[in-house]
Amino acid sequence: MPRKYSYIRYLLLLWLITGVVACKEKHTSSKSGIIPLSPPSYLLSPDTIKLRKQARLLREYAQAHGYNMQLAFLVDFSVFSGSKRFICYDLEHQRVLSSALVSHGQGPDFRAEKVVFSNVPGSRCSSLGKYRIGVRYSGQFGTAYKLHGLDSTNSNAFNRFVVLHSYRAVPAVAQEQGICRSDGCPMLNPAYFASLEPYIDRANRPILLWIYR
């Protein structure tokens, strides 16, 4: 065979081998689901180390001010709303008892995923800070609990009618999409909310709720 044709055959063979390898690599990458995306501006789950630190600080606060030292609720609003960012925490044994989805305030734009915080009446925003869970009552959305802001960042919570209550549009399981917004209240799934009621009602001392980011 002439050298010219042998060289062309070699190039064709090399091209075919390269093409097969490239297709195989592409298929493997697609099958593994590895897609180069920029990380979201929010977390997809609560930071465990951060959660434990917040819980420890909350227990110290509860001890210093006479609140419940067995149980507390913590909400990390740096976490995506479709993830379980409401935590029912055992302060005594330092462990998570349960978690759930929770809505945040719609603020100036209900479409925005990022939480906007405000303590201003009429803002429809969530407020950062520690809350004392107050009396149980029956309101527009059924059973609810008054919330008393304990920090300068949420001191208007009671007058703003920011309360802990359930809402049927809050899903029971994690979602790929963000969930519904509130007018500033932390809203929970009805079934999950019902599971918390006995703990709140039978508590020997008021339970604390801490919204942070």
Side-chain angles (χ1 to χ4, degrees), residues 154-186:
N154 62 2
S155 57
N156 290 323
F158 186 86
N159 293 330
R160 290 178 58 206
F161 299 100
V162 172
V163 300
L164 180 65
H165 68 87
S166 66
Y167 187 58
R168 64 180 181 275
V170 179
V173 297
Q175 309 286 304
E176 292 184 359
Q177 302 295 325
I179 66 172
C180 60
R181 313 290 191 238
S182 71
D183 285 346
C185 300

Side-chain angles (χ1 to χ4, degrees), residues 46 83-89 96-101 172 188 192:
S83 299
K84 294 185 176 183
R85 54 188 182 172
F86 181 98
I87 305 295
C88 178
Y89 200 87
V96 174
L97 294 177
S98 63
S99 60
L101 277 70
L188 299 169
Y192 182 76

Side-chain angles (χ1 to χ4, degrees), residues 42-48 76 78-80 83-85:
Y42 45 78
L43 300 175
L44 296 180
S45 62
D47 184 292
T48 304
D76 186 351
S78 66
V79 176
F80 173 53
S83 299
K84 294 185 176 183
R85 54 188 182 172

